[in-house]
Structures are given as structure tokens and as C-alpha cells.
Amino acid sequence: MANPVRRAENPKGLRYRDFVEKGYVIAGSPATVRDRLREEVIQGLRVGNLMVLLQIGSMPHELTLENIDLFAREVLPHLRDAWDDGGWVNHWWPERLRASATPRVVAGVSTSQA
């Protein structure tokens, strides 16, 4: 898929399916969303911070909650390690929280499990 950045077309003429097919929107099963985020956004565009919209239009509240749950359980955990091997530091993340985001091991027990 081509890079979705800066296309000269009028979005008013596009349908939802067009937005997905052209890469403006990433939607689908948790596996599809996970794979496209990793390949196109994280690896392709080198984006380290995501802003997600898990509700659109008049989507019912219950479906929105289901989308949030699916994203939290089946997408996000697979993206957490995306920057671990690159020595990347998130300079937008508050410094006090950077240290606490890294699990520490004390006496053989991870502090993130305590």
C-alpha cells in the first residue's frame, strides 16, 4: 500500500470504504489493525505515538466499548515492544513516568506484577 500522506483529492467524494482502501483509515479485525499499524505506521512512517479513534459517527455506545476492549486486549499488547530494540526515547512522555514505564526486577520479582 502506498504512503497515505498528502494526497491531492477531495475527501468529500469518498465513501468510508475508500478511506480504508486508500490508507486514510485503518480498520478491520484486530489482526488487520495490528498488522497495518505495525507495518505502515510504526515501521513505515516511524510514528511512536498513536492517537486512535475507536468510535465513529453514530456508533452505539456498546459497540464503542467493544472496540475499546478489542483494541486494548488484541492490538495494543502486540505493539508495546515496537520501539524496544531501537534505543528510542519518548521525549514527549513525562520524565518521571519514563522510569516507571520500564519494569524493574527486585529480588527476582518484577515490580510491574506486584
Side-chain angles (χ1 to χ4, degrees):
M1 175 171 283
N3 187 332
V5 178
R6 297 192 187 233
R7 293 211 173 93
E9 59 186 304
N10 184 357
K12 292 181 180 179
L14 300 176
R15 299 167 305 164
Y16 180 75
R17 177 178 291 165
D18 298 327
F19 280 92
V20 174
E21 289 174 358
K22 293 176 180 288
Y24 293 125
V25 172
I26 295 177
S29 70
T32 297
V33 171
R34 177 176 59 234
D35 294 345
R36 288 191 61 197
L37 282 174
R38 185 175 284 280
E39 293 167 12
E40 298 169 25
V41 177
I42 295 171
Q43 294 170 351
L45 297 174
R46 303 291 294 161
V47 170
N49 294 298
L50 299 176
M51 180 184 296
V52 298
L53 177 64
L54 301 171
Q55 176 276 338
I56 188 166
S58 60
M59 181 181 286
H61 180 72
E62 294 75 21
L63 185 54
T64 301
L65 293 176
E66 184 179 334
N67 281 348
I68 294 168
D69 182 62
L70 280 172
F71 189 81
R73 281 187 301 108
E74 298 187 30
V75 176
L76 194 56
H78 298 277
L79 302 177
R80 289 192 189 278
D81 67 343
W83 295 98
D84 288 351
D85 61 352
W88 183 74
V89 176
N90 185 346
H91 294 285
W92 294 98
W93 193 256
E95 192 170 329
R96 289 184 324 168
L97 296 177
R98 269 187 237 154
S100 66
T102 306
R104 293 172 286 165
V105 176
V106 178
V109 177
S110 172
T111 58
S112 62
Q113 297 172 355

